Amino acid sequence: MIYKYLYQDRKNRNQEGEIRARSRDEAYTLLRKRGIRPYRVIGDDPWNWRPLAISIGYVLLSSALVVLGIIALSQARELKELQRERAWLESE
């Protein structure tokens, strides 16, 4: 993104400029490295999608674990029923 910044030079004249950075914090850091102390950086920060992606990942993982648990329980029930039938057939 391109951020506009405002600062005062050594003669107290208001100056402005533009800088390309990933976020407002990075813009401040880059300007400070250049020796510029901005009093304002103007621009919209990009949307932070990482927390949403992590949350969706946890929801998908939890859902997959629940589905696997249900499948495992149904398989265990079927196995128990087969063992009961086998035991009943052997007892006759």
Side-chain angles (χ1 to χ4, degrees), residues 10-68:
R10 293 178 192 251
K11 296 179 183 177
N12 284 337
R13 291 180 293 184
N14 289 330
Q15 302 289 327
E16 64 181 60
E18 291 183 348
I19 189 167
R20 182 176 296 271
R22 292 182 195 167
S23 67
R24 186 184 310 268
D25 292 334
E26 183 182 4
Y28 271 110
T29 302
L30 292 172
L31 289 168
R32 296 286 289 171
K33 285 181 181 178
R34 293 182 186 177
I36 298 171
R37 293 183 177 181
Y39 60 85
R40 186 160 184 210
V41 175
I42 304 166
D44 293 332
D45 279 337
W47 183 59
N48 191 5
W49 54 269
R50 288 184 181 121
L52 179 63
I54 290 170
S55 299
I56 290 172
Y58 280 127
V59 167
L60 291 175
L61 179 63
S62 299
S63 300
L65 289 174
V66 167
V67 168
L68 287 174

Side-chain angles (χ1 to χ4, degrees), residues 65-80:
L65 289 174
V66 167
V67 168
L68 287 174
I70 290 170
I71 291 171
L73 285 174
S74 68
Q75 293 293 323
R77 286 181 186 158
E78 286 180 24
L79 182 62
K80 250 185 184 176

